[in-house]
Amino acid sequence: MKPLRDAFDRVHPYFAKGGILEKAYPVYESIDTFLFTPGETTRGRTHVRDGIDLKRMMITVVMALIPVTLFGMWNAGYQANSAIVQMTEADVPIEYDWHHTVHTALGLGHDPSSFVDNFVYGAIFFIPIYVVTMFVGGHIEMVFSVLRGHEINEGFLVTGLLFPLTLPPNIPLWQVALGISFGVIVAKEVFGGTGRNFLNVALASRAFLYFSYAASISGDKVWTAVDGFSGATALGQMAVAEGGAIESLEHVKYVWGETGSITWMDSFLGTIQGCFGETSTLLCIVGALILIAAGIGSWRIMLSVILGVIGTSLLLNMIGSKNNPMFEIPFHWHLVIGGLAFGLVFMATDPVSASMTNTGKWFYGILIGFMTVLIRVINPAFPEGIMLAILFGNVFAPLIDYFVVQANVRRRVARYAS
């Protein structure tokens, strides 16, 4: 690494103050500090410093997302290859696009039992979405950093991976660019950049696409990367069930006319349709353990979201409904379907947009759990509620912290007065 370090040191004067590339210093600094630990020391009076900085924190979150990301690519390919095989057997026409051309050019087929076929085919869908997100969002971050004259923050490393993981494989790339542009500019930069946004940037980007281009991010034709395919997700299937919600998962209808089934274990492992990162509850738990062990993810928020989901599910189970099958869904199903696990581990725990106080984190998490189940059950137009619930929680997080702090102040005043 020494030759690389020397190369950075040689070009440093060009980017330093007074250099011909002074304006581009944030770009130089971001690459330098990504590869090497900064050698800067504290000036003036000494003070206590933590061993982890923002860059290391963000990289740890990215590492926690790697298992989910790798599985998401495999599962996207597995769902597509399984559908291709069954549609071919049923003589259902398939319109192949450039993804298939690249896949076959690599000498690969569509065998759902082949790990390589599944992983590569899924990667061919995921990587362009990720590249567009990083290219467009990263350049917007760079422009704002240069205009403001400050360093490029590492927060986008996480946002740039979270956002693609919340998208379906078939989403058009121009919508990906538009969504991340909206999130970075409107939900982040207008408030001052990293650390000042009150909404989760990845979720704000997804919410923009959800309401602006609903046909590309909902329905039954976007979850499996095959043109001509249709088939509802578990939540979508239960939302329109004519009989029991859980029983409806035993006979899921697909475009080829056959029926399949979705079991609780399928949902827990993640071998079902869905967005890239949301299907595997098991790997979200792995990510949660990494974040909690590193002291980055709040276990209070994760646990309180689960308690909110369980409490609300049991309440709605007791109330019941003759017309809405979603009332009967037990809590252990709510925990493994949709994006609940992914949202509570990687989104609700966002240290910027979540509650700051320990007591406030309990109220914040319970509110998200409550709203998630309520939106899923009460409003059939939004069978997936975690996105809206977290954004709702983000809005109320400052208010929750305010009341927690004021209550603490009143207790202290009362204690000293006595």
Side-chain angles (χ1 to χ4, degrees), residues 233-253:
T233 62
L235 270 173
Q237 176 86 9
M238 287 191 283
V240 297
E242 296 180 355
I246 302 301
E247 289 75 12
S248 70
L249 296 181
E250 298 175 358
H251 304 283
V252 182
K253 295 181 180 179

Side-chain angles (χ1 to χ4, degrees), residues 362-379:
W362 289 102
F363 288 104
Y364 170 79
I366 290 173
L367 175 64
I368 290 176
F370 169 75
M371 290 300 300
T372 299
V373 177
L374 196 66
I375 293 171
R376 283 181 174 183
V377 174
I378 301 298
N379 192 340

Side-chain angles (χ1 to χ4, degrees), residues 162-280:
L162 281 175
F163 179 57
L165 291 173
T166 65
L167 299 176
N170 271 338
I171 189 166
L173 295 179
W174 66 268
Q175 290 184 13
V176 176
L178 198 58
I180 194 62
S181 300
F182 175 87
V184 173
I185 296 174
V186 178
K188 183 177 181 181
E189 294 299 342
V190 296
F191 295 103
T194 300
R196 297 182 179 181
N197 52 291
F198 72 96
L199 293 176
N200 182 284
V201 179
L203 278 183
S205 304
R206 191 185 192 280
F208 170 78
L209 294 179
Y210 188 85
F211 290 108
S212 301
Y213 306 99
S216 299
I217 205 168
S218 62
D220 61 354
K221 297 182 179 179
V222 300
W223 308 112
T224 293
V226 180
D227 286 343
F229 170 87
S230 66
T233 62
L235 270 173
Q237 176 86 9
M238 287 191 283
V240 297
E242 296 180 355
I246 302 301
E247 289 75 12
S248 70
L249 296 181
E250 298 175 358
H251 304 283
V252 182
K253 295 181 180 179
Y254 296 104
V255 66
W256 53 86
E258 298 180 1
T259 60
S261 64
I262 298 177
T263 66
W264 186 90
M265 187 55 68
D266 292 337
S267 300
F268 178 73
L269 296 177
T271 54
I272 57 175
Q273 295 186 89
C275 297
F276 281 107
E278 73 172 18
T279 62
S280 178

Side-chain angles (χ1 to χ4, degrees), residues 48-262:
V48 177
R49 300 186 65 178
D50 199 337
I52 188 170
D53 58 7
L54 179 62
K55 192 184 300 292
R56 315 307 154 194
M57 180 185 294
M58 294 303 174
I59 290 175
T60 303
V61 178
V62 171
M63 292 174 63
L65 282 166
I66 288 176
V68 173
T69 305
L70 296 177
F71 178 82
M73 287 190 281
W74 174 85
N75 187 53
Y78 172 71
Q79 297 297 328
N81 289 334
S82 299
I84 289 172
V85 169
Q86 296 184 68
M87 291 170 70
T88 302
E89 292 175 350
D91 291 330
V92 177
I94 304 174
E95 296 180 7
Y96 292 110
D97 59 9
W98 66 269
H99 299 90
H100 170 78
T101 304
V102 173
H103 190 68
T104 53
L106 295 174
L108 301 174
H110 293 290
D111 181 5
S113 64
S114 168
F115 174 83
V116 176
D117 283 1
N118 296 335
F119 185 81
V120 173
Y121 199 52
I124 293 173
F125 280 87
F126 178 80
I127 290 176
I129 295 174
Y130 179 69
V131 169
V132 168
T133 300
M134 295 300 292
F135 182 82
V136 175
H139 277 77
I140 293 174
E141 289 255 349
M142 184 178 67
V143 168
F144 274 91
S145 296
V146 171
L147 292 176
R148 288 171 173 160
H150 61 57
E151 301 171 354
I152 298 176
N153 297 120
E154 293 75 20
F156 192 71
L157 288 176
V158 176
T159 302
L161 184 54
L162 281 175
F163 179 57
L165 291 173
T166 65
L167 299 176
N170 271 338
I171 189 166
L173 295 179
W174 66 268
Q175 290 184 13
V176 176
L178 198 58
I180 194 62
S181 300
F182 175 87
V184 173
I185 296 174
V186 178
K188 183 177 181 181
E189 294 299 342
V190 296
F191 295 103
T194 300
R196 297 182 179 181
N197 52 291
F198 72 96
L199 293 176
N200 182 284
V201 179
L203 278 183
S205 304
R206 191 185 192 280
F208 170 78
L209 294 179
Y210 188 85
F211 290 108
S212 301
Y213 306 99
S216 299
I217 205 168
S218 62
D220 61 354
K221 297 182 179 179
V222 300
W223 308 112
T224 293
V226 180
D227 286 343
F229 170 87
S230 66
T233 62
L235 270 173
Q237 176 86 9
M238 287 191 283
V240 297
E242 296 180 355
I246 302 301
E247 289 75 12
S248 70
L249 296 181
E250 298 175 358
H251 304 283
V252 182
K253 295 181 180 179
Y254 296 104
V255 66
W256 53 86
E258 298 180 1
T259 60
S261 64
I262 298 177

